[in-house]
Every structure is written in structure tokens, then in C-alpha cells.
Amino acid sequence: MALIPGFEYDIFISYAHLDNATLTGQADGWIKQFHENLNLMLAKRFGRMGMVKIWWDSKKLDGSVLFDKSIVSIKYLCIISPCLLYHEILKKGYIK
């Protein structure tokens, strides 16, 4: 349960999966590292782990997946990158 009643999650992180790809020698992509660091910093701020619930797509869902109402959050964090913008432009049909 999120901090705010009626929400399952407090924060929803949206990103392009290519942005989370690992470089040679990296154990994790930077989005995963960001998620873990944000979770830790919020835990320090609120006094314990798990107080703030963050949802991020660690399973690489594609754009055809419809999210159910359980993945509704009070805050939406969109990490804008060239990869995400290119994907959105393709979805809209502006380029082929």
C-alpha cells in the first residue's frame, strides 16, 4: 500500500528499456541503479525501507501491455531520453 490511500504505488518510473542496457563491465543499467538509489534515499527520509512504494518495469513489458488499475501511482516519473522520444514518434506513425 502506498503512502496515499487509494494508490498501490507512490511513484511510477517510466523509461525506454534501451536506456537501462548495461555497458561492458556493468552489473546493472543506470535505470535500475537509479531505482535502487531512489528507494534507499526515500527510506532514509521516511525512516525505513518499503515506506515509499516504487513501480518500474523490470520485466521489459512492451508498448502493447495495458496496465491495470493496481499500477496507479500518485507520482509519475518519466525519464525522457532520445530512445524514449524515438519510440513515441514511431508509435505515432510520424516516421517508419
Side-chain angles (χ1 to χ4, degrees):
M1 183 61 84
L3 290 172
I4 306 296
F7 293 92
E8 182 68 25
Y9 294 90
D10 297 295
I11 300 170
F12 179 106
I13 300 174
S14 178
Y15 65 99
H17 290 286
L18 183 57
D19 288 325
N20 197 43
T22 57
L23 300 172
T24 303
Q26 265 187 320
D28 298 316
W30 81 267
I31 303 290
K32 182 176 181 184
Q33 291 174 1
F34 172 77
H35 169 259
E36 290 172 356
N37 290 335
L38 178 62
N39 201 26
L40 181 58
M41 294 305 292
L42 289 169
K44 288 179 178 183
R45 174 84 170 143
F46 285 91
R48 67 182 168 123
M49 291 297 289
M51 191 74 176
V52 177
K53 289 189 67 179
I54 302 170
W55 191 94
W56 74 296
D57 175 14
S58 60
K59 298 176 185 164
K60 296 190 176 184
L61 302 175
D62 66 27
S64 66
V65 175
L66 296 175
F67 296 108
D68 62 22
K69 291 181 181 177
S70 68
I71 308 177
V72 174
S73 65
I74 193 70
K75 295 288 181 188
Y76 179 77
L77 176 60
C78 183
I79 299 175
I80 307 239
S81 70
C83 296
L84 181 68
L85 294 175
Y86 184 74
H87 175 73
E88 290 301 313
I89 289 170
L90 282 176
K91 236 172 38 173
K92 301 258 190 249
Y94 298 129
I95 59 174
K96 299 201 188 273

